[in-house]
Amino acid sequence: MESSQEVGMRIGEVAAKAGVSVRSLRYYEQQDLLHSSRNPGGQRRYPDGAVERVRLIQQLYPWA
């Protein structure tokens, strides 16, 4: 059950909404193009603007 204190989206939610793979999101983080925080359970949480940022990355890097 998700706590009401948790903000942002999980990695799978961002991937689905942006139309990319989870692996791509992890790669973008490794390249310092995208940032997330971790909840107490260690799961990534992305801010609300993450989907738009991923779409921008896709536009700027068509090979991505």
Side-chain angles (χ1 to χ4, degrees):
M1 183 157 97
E2 189 171 329
S3 167
S4 62
Q5 294 178 341
E6 288 183 353
V7 295
M9 295 177 282
R10 294 181 184 175
I11 194 168
E13 294 174 289
V14 175
K17 289 181 180 183
V20 299
S21 66
V22 168
R23 184 174 178 194
S24 291
L25 295 180
R26 291 184 183 127
Y27 175 77
Y28 298 156
E29 282 195 64
Q30 288 176 343
Q31 299 304 309
D32 207 28
L33 298 171
L34 186 65
H35 301 280
S36 68
S37 58
R38 300 281 181 142
N39 70 9
Q43 295 176 324
R44 287 177 170 87
R45 301 301 289 196
Y46 292 89
D48 293 335
V51 173
E52 289 304 316
R53 182 156 181 101
V54 171
R55 289 179 180 157
L56 177 63
I57 292 167
Q58 292 286 301
Q59 288 177 351
L60 296 174
Y61 296 96
W63 47 264

